[in-house]
Amino acid sequence: MLLEEHLDGIDKGIKSIILNVAEKSKEIQKAFFSHNMLAGTKNVYGEQQLELDKFADKLVLSAMENSEMVKNLASEEQSEIVQIVKCKGDYGVVVDPLDGVSCVKTNLSVGTILGVFDEGAVLEKGKKMDAAMYVLYGPLTSLVYTAKDGVHEFVLNPKNKFELRAENIKIPEKGKLYGSGGFRREWPKKHLEFIERLHKEKYKLRFSGSFTADFQQILSYGGVFSYPATKSYPNGKLRLLFECNPVSFITKHAGGDSTNGKKSILEIKPEKISQRTPIYVGGKKETELAEKILK
Ligand code: F6P
Ligand code: MN
């Protein structure tokens, strides 16, 4: 089954947003070959920005314009919310156009992450999202989405169409993978305690430096991905709006959970678009354990 067929029956606005992103993701995928040069500029967070980030950002914006359904767009590559004047719908979209970009150089998987709210909202609790998705550019280019009716994965086939790979994905409960970002020496004591508990229970480390890819491991095999508060990143490194919320929303619909150590990621009311948060995301038992230790 193709993506457009699978999306039949869901809200037309959300369908249009997902399909337009799917189309542009094909161009992003091709750009890994054509744009593999450093632009030498920094994004609003002071991180090195590849030309590719900007290219992906532009493509996502044009996907939103083409859908004519999006009123407000908050992108990790923009310091302000972009208002799209020519639109018939009133969705609000949050996006990380190219997550894990440092992995492009080493040819590891990277992603495009996106969340959709109604009523033009972007500074809203993640639990209020209507849909979330990501595209993972790996050996396969795959698209994972939920519109609150299960989590489904599609892969780009040789005919350049997204075809169904897995329907109603659930995070395996018995999986034992974990990932943790940040320098070990900068981890808070309680985070170290959590990781040591996982070690004791024979969890195996997987960490690539690309959140989308590292999360896909957890979605496929089970376990937990984390990026705690550290000395360098006292509020965590990952962004609540663009990375943590869409992935946490997908996780919830795949039977898993997420927390900042104290409460669900999806319950955090963001105060600014650049907000960061510590994150623990994956299986229910692992996120419960994280909360038990960190609270
Ligand atoms: O977007 C931020 C990001 O690139 C994530 O994709 C990834 O999980 C994280 O940073 C990796 O951070 P670090 O290099 O500190 O391990
Ligand atoms: Mn990112």
Short mmCIF file of all heavy atoms in Angstrom, two decimals, residues 76 96 98-101 113 211 238-239 243, ligand 2:
data_model
loop_
_atom_site.label_atom_id
_atom_site.label_comp_id
_atom_site.label_asym_id
_atom_site.label_seq_id
_atom_site.Cartn_x
_atom_site.Cartn_y
_atom_site.Cartn_z
N GLU A 76 13.55 24.76 13.55
CA GLU A 76 14.78 24.85 14.34
C GLU A 76 15.80 25.77 13.67
O GLU A 76 16.67 26.32 14.32
CB GLU A 76 15.37 23.45 14.51
CG GLU A 76 16.44 23.42 15.55
CD GLU A 76 17.10 22.07 15.67
OE1 GLU A 76 16.42 21.08 15.95
OE2 GLU A 76 18.33 22.02 15.47
N ASP A 96 12.17 20.12 12.75
CA ASP A 96 13.64 20.10 12.68
C ASP A 96 13.94 19.59 11.26
O ASP A 96 13.82 18.39 11.00
CB ASP A 96 14.22 19.15 13.74
CG ASP A 96 15.74 19.14 13.72
OD1 ASP A 96 16.33 19.74 12.79
OD2 ASP A 96 16.35 18.54 14.63
N LEU A 98 16.59 19.14 9.44
CA LEU A 98 17.63 18.12 9.25
C LEU A 98 18.30 17.82 10.59
O LEU A 98 19.24 18.51 11.00
CB LEU A 98 18.65 18.59 8.21
CG LEU A 98 19.39 17.44 7.52
CD1 LEU A 98 18.44 16.41 6.93
CD2 LEU A 98 20.28 17.99 6.42
N ASP A 99 17.79 16.81 11.24
CA ASP A 99 18.28 16.44 12.57
C ASP A 99 19.51 15.53 12.46
O ASP A 99 19.55 14.65 11.60
CB ASP A 99 17.15 15.71 13.33
CG ASP A 99 17.67 15.09 14.60
OD1 ASP A 99 18.20 15.84 15.44
OD2 ASP A 99 17.56 13.85 14.75
N GLY A 100 20.48 15.79 13.33
CA GLY A 100 21.68 14.93 13.37
C GLY A 100 22.65 15.25 12.25
O GLY A 100 23.40 14.38 11.79
N VAL A 101 22.65 16.53 11.84
CA VAL A 101 23.35 16.91 10.61
C VAL A 101 24.85 16.59 10.63
O VAL A 101 25.45 16.36 9.58
CB VAL A 101 23.05 18.40 10.27
CG1 VAL A 101 23.75 19.33 11.22
CG2 VAL A 101 23.37 18.71 8.83
N ILE A 113 12.20 15.90 11.25
CA ILE A 113 11.18 15.62 12.27
C ILE A 113 10.12 16.72 12.25
O ILE A 113 10.47 17.90 12.14
CB ILE A 113 11.81 15.58 13.69
CG1 ILE A 113 13.07 14.70 13.72
CG2 ILE A 113 10.81 15.12 14.72
CD1 ILE A 113 13.81 14.76 15.06
N PHE A 211 19.53 11.91 16.62
CA PHE A 211 18.39 11.55 17.45
C PHE A 211 17.39 10.68 16.67
O PHE A 211 16.90 9.68 17.18
CB PHE A 211 17.73 12.84 17.95
CG PHE A 211 16.52 12.66 18.82
CD1 PHE A 211 16.49 11.71 19.83
CD2 PHE A 211 15.40 13.46 18.64
CE1 PHE A 211 15.37 11.55 20.64
CE2 PHE A 211 14.28 13.32 19.44
CZ PHE A 211 14.26 12.37 20.44
N LEU A 238 18.46 18.62 23.61
CA LEU A 238 17.46 18.49 22.54
C LEU A 238 16.32 19.51 22.72
O LEU A 238 15.99 19.89 23.84
CB LEU A 238 16.92 17.07 22.47
CG LEU A 238 17.96 15.98 22.18
CD1 LEU A 238 17.28 14.67 21.86
CD2 LEU A 238 18.90 16.37 21.06
N ARG A 239 15.77 19.91 21.60
CA ARG A 239 14.73 20.94 21.62
C ARG A 239 13.36 20.32 21.85
O ARG A 239 12.98 19.38 21.15
CB ARG A 239 14.68 21.72 20.31
CG ARG A 239 15.79 22.68 20.12
CD ARG A 239 16.99 21.95 19.72
NE ARG A 239 18.10 22.83 19.40
CZ ARG A 239 19.26 22.39 19.00
NH1 ARG A 239 19.49 21.09 18.89
NH2 ARG A 239 20.22 23.22 18.70
N GLU A 243 12.17 18.47 18.32
CA GLU A 243 12.69 17.10 18.39
C GLU A 243 11.91 16.25 19.40
O GLU A 243 11.38 15.20 19.06
CB GLU A 243 14.18 17.14 18.76
CG GLU A 243 15.01 17.86 17.71
CD GLU A 243 16.42 18.21 18.16
OE1 GLU A 243 16.59 18.68 19.32
OE2 GLU A 243 17.35 18.04 17.37
MN MN B 2 18.18 18.06 15.61
#
